[in-house]
Amino acid sequence: MLLESIKTILLVITTLLILYSLLFKKRIPAEKVKFLASSLVITLVLLFIIVIKLHHYLRLDYRIPNTLTYFIVSIPFIFHLYKFKSELLKTNFILLLFSISFITLAVILDLLTDGKIISFSVSDLIEELLRIAGTGLWMLYYFNYTIKLRNFKNVSIK
């Protein structure tokens, strides 16, 4: 239960950071506003998947496989990364890459254990720790982005 709360808190903080940047920052270029709006949507999708566990609900109630749910949910992530690749490259995107890597490892572990391909006693704990690492780095990325935006004076965020 504590691990669930940590992920939720990290994603809520990230959501608040993005909202703060969108609502209270003055003179942000349109491209950065679009990036932040897209980031907000992606963060809410993450919150929905990781905290509410949509994939388990769809699998149990509607017999929709986790692989299909994860595939469909990955589409907005891929679109976000593709559409804003130039903006991402101007930032400390290594945090974001590690974040996505940890979340992807958690998804792979979830798929492998749900499919009974692998099974070990601490797989759920490892999966939760990977998600916490991923959401923590996700939050750090947007915290860093918000700080850089505060110092923004018509120069790129680096």
Side-chain angles (χ1 to χ4, degrees), residues 1 4 21 30-31 58 68 78 81 87 93 104 129-130 132 151 158:
M1 190 60 148
E4 293 291 325
S21 294
E31 185 63 26
L58 292 174
L68 181 60
I78 293 166
L81 294 173
E87 182 66 23
F93 68 95
T104 301
L129 293 174
L130 288 168
I132 289 171
N151 301 327
K158 291 188 180 184

Side-chain angles (χ1 to χ4, degrees), residues 5-33:
S5 299
I6 292 170
K7 293 183 303 192
T8 304
I9 290 167
L10 291 170
L11 288 171
V12 167
I13 290 170
T14 306
T15 302
L16 293 174
L17 285 168
I18 295 169
L19 282 172
Y20 170 76
S21 294
L22 280 170
L23 299 175
F24 298 108
K25 299 287 185 185
K26 304 291 186 232
R27 298 180 332 170
I28 300 175
E31 185 63 26
K32 292 186 186 331
V33 170

Side-chain angles (χ1 to χ4, degrees), residues 33-76:
V33 170
K34 290 177 188 175
F35 172 70
L36 286 167
S38 180
S39 297
L40 179 63
V41 170
I42 296 299
T43 302
L44 292 174
V45 168
L46 259 179
L47 190 65
F48 200 65
I49 291 295
I50 290 177
V51 175
I52 299 173
K53 299 190 185 234
L54 175 68
H55 54 291
H56 290 293
Y57 170 74
L58 292 174
R59 185 186 71 218
L60 295 173
D61 289 358
Y62 297 103
R63 298 189 186 273
I64 297 173
N66 285 353
T67 50
L68 181 60
T69 302
Y70 282 135
F71 175 75
I72 290 170
V73 167
S74 70
I75 293 170

Side-chain angles (χ1 to χ4, degrees), residues 13 36-37 57 84-85 89 92 97 106 119 130:
I13 290 170
L36 286 167
Y57 170 74
F84 297 104
K85 66 182 170 214
L89 291 173
N92 191 1
L97 288 177
S119 179
L130 288 168

